[in-house]
Amino acid sequence: MKTAEATATSAGEVHAVVEVREKGSLDRATIVRTGLRLLDEVGIDGLSTRRLATELGIKSASLYWHFKDKDELLNEMSTVMLRECLHLGNANEPGFDALDWLADSARAIRSTALSRRDGAQVMARPLLKPPNTKTPLDDNRKALMRLGLTEMEARLAMHTIRRFAIGAAIQEQSSPPVPGTCTAAEGFEFGLKTFMDGLKVLIASRAHK
Amino acid sequence: MKTAEATATSAGEVHAVVEVREKGSLDRATIVRTGLRLLDEVGIDGLSTRRLATELGIKSASLYWHFKDKDELLNEMSTVMLRECLHLGNANEPGFDALDWLADSARAIRSTALSRRDGAQVMARPLLKPPNTKTPLDDNRKALMRLGLTEMEARLAMHTIRRFAIGAAIQEQSSPPVPGTCTAAEGFEFGLKTFMDGLKVLIASRAHK
DNA sequence: ACCTGAACACCGTTCAAGT
DNA sequence: ACCTGAACACCGTTCAAGT
């Protein structure tokens, strides 16, 4: 006796649980969310507009009413993933340490990227223009500036950290673990610590000026 | 009077200068070289097996005699690009400075990646198993160890530098220049210097142990 | 050993047309 | 406003068959 894993409707097709929805109820957020779920199942190469449309219960042509093209969709997925890993603590909290926050945000970016199949490749894409994530990032940048960094240095430090974390995750997801070396996580921590040490050198040089 | 840019044969098709070659003369190296040239013309999305085959004057099916699949071809292109930027100076030379060499190799990786269209995306791919580049890299790692680093730390430093350079180049090639910030090259130098400063901190801590 | 012909099972995107 | 049908111009890959 076969126990079907499928849903209520008895017949036919096994995989691809199709979403049921009424006419006007499909928006960009739903498409992006479904895209991210599908990414985990099929990977970046399997994530076609046709497959995604099937998953959403529509035809692929319909996607082009919501998005200009596939690139725009992927960029929005990238933006959502970055937003996912910014719930980290705000500069206004009591025991806030800007350097700890910076290192932790690097770890969060890496693990968010690693949390889904080909996640790093998605996060390496450009972000959409207006991330409303502006506010917490602004606060944290100011916290870095209070340590003695210029505005541009603070901006660059955050930028570099993000770049390093995504670069590391890309390599981890695309290459087999390098033989004769430690684990990927340890390698990441080495790079992160070294960068943070360099940043402390810069801060120290600002302090006694 | 039209001045045709085409080659000797008078007629027909304008673009795609097809290579002329006798039967057994096509090898992996030629295919990879042509692939890299074509990459500059059409970008990673335009680089199809069919287009490449046309460029080589063969049918796309023939590529599968030389390579298992497109992935293997792209990985070999990645390996060749990395090899391109390792003619930098060897640890056996007179005025050799291991830290300078490390920073310079980061710059070389970045500029090699930026030197061709979508080059960073290609370099982010896994390398093929046996790069004969082993020898110069080994010497340079030993030079780092002479400064006080353990073998693993030296390996990790080289690894991190490569990761950072490729990560930076990927972002530069896929995102528009960030507004309100300095140039990409300046941003890269900031990250590089900070990392190198951190490395010097580590070396100093080893020195008085 | 090296290459082709022809097919298989797909793609992203457009656009007139439907509701 | 939102979606479909149908087409256009492509893909990567396989495999029997040619030389």
Side-chain angles (χ1 to χ4, degrees):
Chain A
M1 187 185 178
K2 287 181 184 174
T3 313
E5 288 234 24
T7 41
T9 59
S10 51
E13 61 275 350
V14 185
H15 37 351
V17 179
V18 181
E19 241 145 281
V20 180
R21 200 194 345 276
E22 55 201 288
K23 168 127 178 183
S25 69
L26 185 60
D27 59 346
R28 288 170 68 106
T30 307
I31 295 172
V32 166
R33 197 175 356 100
T34 307
L36 285 171
R37 177 164 54 70
L38 190 55
L39 180 68
D40 268 338
E41 284 175 40
V42 298
I44 191 85
D45 288 334
L47 187 67
S48 67
T49 53
R50 295 168 124 99
R51 182 84 170 72
L52 176 57
T54 303
E55 202 77 12
L56 288 162
I58 58 174
K59 302 294 168 183
S60 72
S62 312
L63 288 171
Y64 291 80
W65 196 90
H66 298 275
F67 292 91
K68 181 177 150 288
D69 54 20
K70 192 186 181 184
D71 245 50
E72 189 180 284
L73 168 59
L74 288 171
N75 291 350
E76 184 139 344
M77 286 170 56
S78 167
T79 308
V80 166
M81 284 191 73
L82 185 64
R83 202 146 40 213
E84 267 180 19
C85 57
L86 287 178
H87 303 303
L88 267 176
N90 190 294
N92 302 329
E93 286 168 15
F96 182 83
D97 180 314
L99 286 182
D100 286 347
W101 168 83
L102 194 62
D104 279 341
S105 73
R107 296 187 185 98
I109 288 170
R110 170 175 174 267
S111 62
T112 297
L114 295 179
S115 73
R116 13 184 48 116
R117 175 121 89 114
D118 299 325
Q121 255 160 286
V122 172
M123 291 193 79
R125 301 193 138 257
L127 301 175
L128 295 189
K129 293 299 137 63
N132 66 359
T133 56
K134 213 181 200 172
T135 335
L137 286 182
D138 274 354
D139 288 346
N140 292 332
R141 195 183 65 233
K142 278 171 195 156
L144 285 173
M145 291 168 67
R146 254 173 265 130
L147 296 179
L149 300 185
T150 67
E151 174 171 349
M152 182 172 285
E153 286 166 346
R155 224 188 274 271
L156 283 173
M158 291 166 45
H159 205 90
T160 303
I161 277 290
R162 177 161 160 261
R163 179 170 281 183
F164 168 68
I166 292 175
I170 284 188
Q171 236 96 348
E172 287 182 50
Q173 283 182 332
S174 78
S175 303
V178 187
T181 324
C182 55
T183 70
E186 287 165 343
F188 177 78
E189 285 297 331
F190 172 85
L192 181 57
K193 180 181 190 320
T194 304
F195 179 81
M196 296 305 297
D197 282 349
L199 212 53
K200 284 171 193 163
V201 169
L202 178 60
I203 288 171
S205 83
R206 288 285 186 283
H208 47 62
K209 264 278 164 62
Chain B
M1 186 185 181
K2 287 182 183 174
T3 313
E5 287 235 26
T7 42
T9 60
S10 52
E13 61 274 350
V14 185
H15 35 355
V17 179
V18 181
E19 241 145 283
V20 180
R21 199 197 343 278
E22 55 200 289
K23 170 128 177 181
S25 70
L26 184 60
D27 59 346
R28 289 171 66 107
T30 307
I31 296 172
V32 167
R33 196 172 359 98
T34 307
L36 284 171
R37 177 165 53 69
L38 190 54
L39 181 68
D40 268 338
E41 285 176 40
V42 299
I44 191 82
D45 287 335
L47 187 66
S48 67
T49 53
R50 295 168 123 100
R51 182 84 169 74
L52 175 57
T54 303
E55 202 77 13
L56 288 162
I58 58 175
K59 301 296 168 182
S60 71
S62 312
L63 288 172
Y64 291 81
W65 197 91
H66 298 276
F67 293 91
K68 180 177 150 289
D69 54 20
K70 192 185 180 184
D71 245 50
E72 189 180 283
L73 168 60
L74 288 171
N75 291 351
E76 185 139 344
M77 287 170 56
S78 166
T79 307
V80 167
M81 285 191 73
L82 184 64
R83 203 147 37 214
E84 267 180 19
C85 57
L86 287 179
H87 304 301
L88 267 177
N90 190 294
N92 302 329
E93 286 169 15
F96 182 83
D97 180 314
L99 286 182
D100 285 347
W101 168 83
L102 194 61
D104 278 341
S105 73
R107 294 187 186 98
I109 288 171
R110 170 174 175 268
S111 62
T112 297
L114 294 180
S115 75
R116 13 182 49 112
R117 176 121 89 114
D118 298 326
Q121 254 160 288
V122 173
M123 292 193 79
R125 303 195 136 256
L127 301 175
L128 295 188
K129 292 300 138 61
N132 66 0
T133 55
K134 214 181 199 172
T135 335
L137 286 183
D138 274 354
D139 288 346
N140 292 333
R141 194 182 65 234
K142 278 170 195 156
L144 285 173
M145 291 168 68
R146 253 174 264 129
L147 296 179
L149 299 186
T150 67
E151 175 171 348
M152 182 173 286
E153 285 165 348
R155 223 188 275 273
L156 283 173
M158 290 165 47
H159 204 90
T160 303
I161 277 291
R162 179 162 159 259
R163 180 169 281 181
F164 168 69
I166 293 176
I170 284 188
Q171 236 96 348
E172 286 182 50
Q173 283 182 331
S174 78
S175 304
V178 187
T181 323
C182 53
T183 71
E186 287 165 342
F188 176 78
E189 286 296 331
F190 172 84
L192 181 56
K193 179 181 192 319
T194 304
F195 179 81
M196 297 305 297
D197 282 348
L199 213 53
K200 283 171 194 162
V201 169
L202 178 60
I203 288 170
S205 84
R206 288 284 186 284
H208 45 63
K209 262 284 163 58

